[in-house]
Amino acid sequence: MALPTPLQAFSAVPKASVHDDKQTITDGEKMTGAHALVRTLEDLGVTDVFGVPGGAILPVYHQINSKTKFRFMLMRHEQAAGHAAEGYALATGQVGVCLVTSGPGATNMITPIADANMDSVPMVVITGQVGVDSIGTDAFQEADIVGATYPVVKHSYLVTSAQDIPRVLAEAYYVANSGRPGPVVVDVTKTAQTGEMYYSWPQRMILPGYNPTTKAHGHVLNDAARLFGQSYRPVLYVGGGAVRSNAGELVKKLADVTGAPIVTTLPARGVVPDSDPKVLGMLGMHGTIAATGAVQRCDLLVAIGARFDDRVTGKLEAFAPAARVIHIDIDPAEIGKNRQPDVPIVGDVSAVLADLIPAIERTQAIQGKPDLKPWWNAIHDWLERYPITWEEPTDGSLAPQWVVKKLSEMADPDTVWVTGVGQHQMWGAQLIDFEKPNSWISSGGLGTMGYGLPAAIGASIGLKGGPVWLIDGDGSFQMTSEELAAAFHDGAPVKIAILNNSVYGMVRQWQTLFYERHYSATNLLDGETHGAEGSQQAAADDLPLEVPDFVKLAEAYGCVGMRAFTEEEAAQAIKRANEINDRPVLIDFRVWKDAMVWPMVSAGASNDDVTYMPGVKPLRKPTGIVDIDANKTTSEK
């Protein structure tokens, strides 16, 4: 039997007239609920809010004025407001806040809510709702947003009384940013917004049963230290939870103390600087051979704030088959969800590592350290034999991988990198040189196309105009390109690199490899006619050369637009973009549509079947592969 959602259950209860609601709290300053909502955000220390107004939330917008202590940024679409709040949160470490209306305004927020939930991004989403008496009547722009987001939200509230607004917002802010971070929805009825209440601060939160575990309990730390002492092929598998916990320095210290290599998930790129020789890069579907190979051949896998996602594990039963597992995560629901650990440790990553490292040092003082030289010999062999590389274009266009590498080489060291979703996202993770934590913002778990531009705007607002580069695809960019207006008007000088191959690149790659090169609904036709022959044909047919023309689109929104066909033009455009800091800059890089992301593990295949380049499967070759039953490579036997 399906249980009703909270809003459905509420609508089934007979409602007394709102005029009979008696105010019994008289301590504090008398004001409307809408005024209290704005005041609460100010008292919580919120400095930036993203959103789009509408009828059911207008009482709150009426209270936002030039004296309001937070800055409101008007986005052009509610989904973009959500992604901007995500980018803001990831760039600053603060809670992202959105303010949108009911009905379609609220339902447009479902995608960023789900995205934030998958990637553990702290966000408070405030939505308007119809008046209490109208709930359940299919009133204009009524939608059960509490019920609709129930599967993809950390927590949610339906507020029907003005007096509850400060407490609920205080709780929402705390819940979003504590434990495993995530999105919290606060659905505020128009009744609560227009009703009167008495405001006081601080508020007493009522959160029975919500007490996230931060410190490891029992003997698990000693158990983990003992496994390190018995391991000759350890690997630290580091996920986004380590980034959320600001645990980069502790992860590095753990690697230095134990000698273990570091591999990362997509969200954890940069958690430890790439210049550290122990960092092997990203593992999994498009990870490096060294990272994927190390995990497949390890005897101890230490998962730190990671969740054994399918893009990391490939065929789950074949993932790290000989490894004992230590799993550290603040969310107990993740422990054993996909892989049963030998030592489960529930707690905040930073707190756990701070206690685990001394335990390992004590064990080493008694037992000594295992000899990891044969293990590192094998890893160095993978690193030398199989660096990230690419095929050169056959049509005279730019190699997209070269563009990404050049962007990284020429960027300010403090640059924060943001991507959309697709091939460009994987090339960014592979080829950007990450030297600082929190310098990588991308949609990982949900893989949301259109994420890039609004997230970059949010990051730029949070960093007060600091250097932000967005690497996007022409397909992903067009899903939220209207936000160029928000970037221009609100002073977010993001720099945008569009890798324009005129196709949905990752879809085309899969169609090439798995769908008999049937390129169904893949061609975007937004840059294919740039060559002489195409231009002549277009002119003869009286057709536009490309739709859209990204340079003209940028200029239409008040931004600087440039286009590059050659490496020389690309380098000049990047240099000029880095010199412009008073408005957004867009560069349309014309790249090869048949470029592929390598290495690659086919969906559902074992990571042992990773393809380095077509026809090359390094982990299936006997030479140089670590023997699972011995502490030396096959080639050393």
Side-chain angles (χ1 to χ4, degrees), residues 232-233 280 289-291 293-294 297 372-386 619 623-627 630-636:
Y232 291 87
R233 300 188 303 277
L280 307 185
I289 295 299
R297 302 294 183 256
L372 302 187
K373 185 177 179 181
W375 180 224
W376 274 103
N377 287 341
I379 291 170
H380 287 143
D381 185 59
W382 281 319
L383 288 169
E384 293 168 9
R385 288 171 179 262
Y386 306 108
L619 301 188
T623 303
I625 293 183
V626 171
D627 188 328
N631 299 323
K632 54 187 177 181
T633 65
T634 303
S635 59
E636 291 175 323

Side-chain angles (χ1 to χ4, degrees), residues 221-417:
L221 295 177
N222 290 330
D223 290 346
R226 186 165 55 251
L227 286 188
F228 271 105
Q230 298 168 353
S231 169
Y232 291 87
R233 300 188 303 277
V235 171
L236 307 184
Y237 154 43
V238 184
V243 179
R244 304 291 179 267
S245 184
N246 295 313
E249 292 184 3
L250 286 166
V251 171
K252 174 177 168 50
K253 185 175 181 181
L254 179 63
D256 291 340
V257 167
T258 63
I262 299 168
V263 304
T264 76
T265 63
L266 178 72
R269 293 294 289 119
V271 66
V272 175
D274 283 348
S275 56
D276 190 304
K278 290 187 175 64
V279 175
L280 307 185
M282 184 175 69
L283 82 156
M285 177 173 280
H286 292 296
T288 67
I289 295 299
T292 301
V295 170
Q296 287 303 101
R297 302 294 183 256
C298 71
D299 63 5
L300 177 64
L301 184 66
V302 187
I304 304 174
R307 56 188 180 86
F308 294 87
D309 173 74
D310 63 294
R311 286 301 191 259
V312 163
T313 66
K315 185 179 180 181
L316 187 60
E317 312 88 79
F319 179 67
R324 288 180 291 185
V325 174
I326 299 169
H327 193 174
I328 304 168
D329 204 291
I330 198 167
D331 185 355
E334 291 295 342
I335 305 291
K337 184 177 77 174
N338 293 324
R339 174 74 174 256
Q340 191 63 41
D342 297 272
V343 179
I345 305 178
V346 176
D348 177 77
V349 168
S350 287
V352 170
L353 293 185
D355 292 336
L356 176 60
I357 291 169
I360 293 171
E361 291 174 327
R362 288 193 297 269
T363 301
Q364 290 176 346
I366 298 170
Q367 301 177 358
K369 296 176 66 173
D371 180 12
L372 302 187
K373 185 177 179 181
W375 180 224
W376 274 103
N377 287 341
I379 291 170
H380 287 143
D381 185 59
W382 281 319
L383 288 169
E384 293 168 9
R385 288 171 179 262
Y386 306 108
I388 296 295
T389 187
W390 59 85
E391 298 174 275
E392 290 298 327
T394 59
D395 64 352
S397 61
L398 289 164
Q401 301 94 327
W402 179 90
V403 174
V404 173
K405 196 166 184 62
K406 197 67 177 176
L407 285 165
S408 179
E409 290 172 355
M410 297 180 67
D412 185 304
D414 293 326
T415 294
V416 168
W417 298 93

Side-chain angles (χ1 to χ4, degrees), residues 38 40 62 75 117 161 177 206-207 226 275 300 306 322 326 346 377 395 405 413 433 453 463 491 503 524 545 600-601:
V38 172
T40 302
H62 183 61
M75 305 300 288
N117 193 56
S161 169
N177 206 30
I206 305 173
L207 294 169
R226 186 165 55 251
S275 56
L300 177 64
I326 299 169
V346 176
N377 287 341
D395 64 352
K405 196 166 184 62
D433 182 22
L453 180 57
L463 298 172
V503 298
L524 295 172
L545 295 181
M600 182 176 182
V601 179

Side-chain angles (χ1 to χ4, degrees), residues 94 110-111 255 449 492 520 553 575 632:
Q94 301 171 24
I110 293 176
T111 295
M449 292 180 70
S520 175
L553 182 67
K575 181 177 183 296
K632 54 187 177 181

Side-chain angles (χ1 to χ4, degrees), residues 603-617:
S606 166
N607 281 357
D608 283 333
D609 290 319
V610 59
T611 300
Y612 173 61
M613 294 292 281
V616 182
K617 293 183 178 291

Side-chain angles (χ1 to χ4, degrees), residues 183-204:
V184 177
V185 169
V186 180
D187 196 31
V188 187
T189 61
K190 205 162 187 180
T191 307
Q193 296 173 53
T194 58
E196 292 187 337
M197 55 86 67
Y198 290 86
Y199 185 86
S200 63
W201 192 263
Q203 287 286 307
R204 178 177 176 271

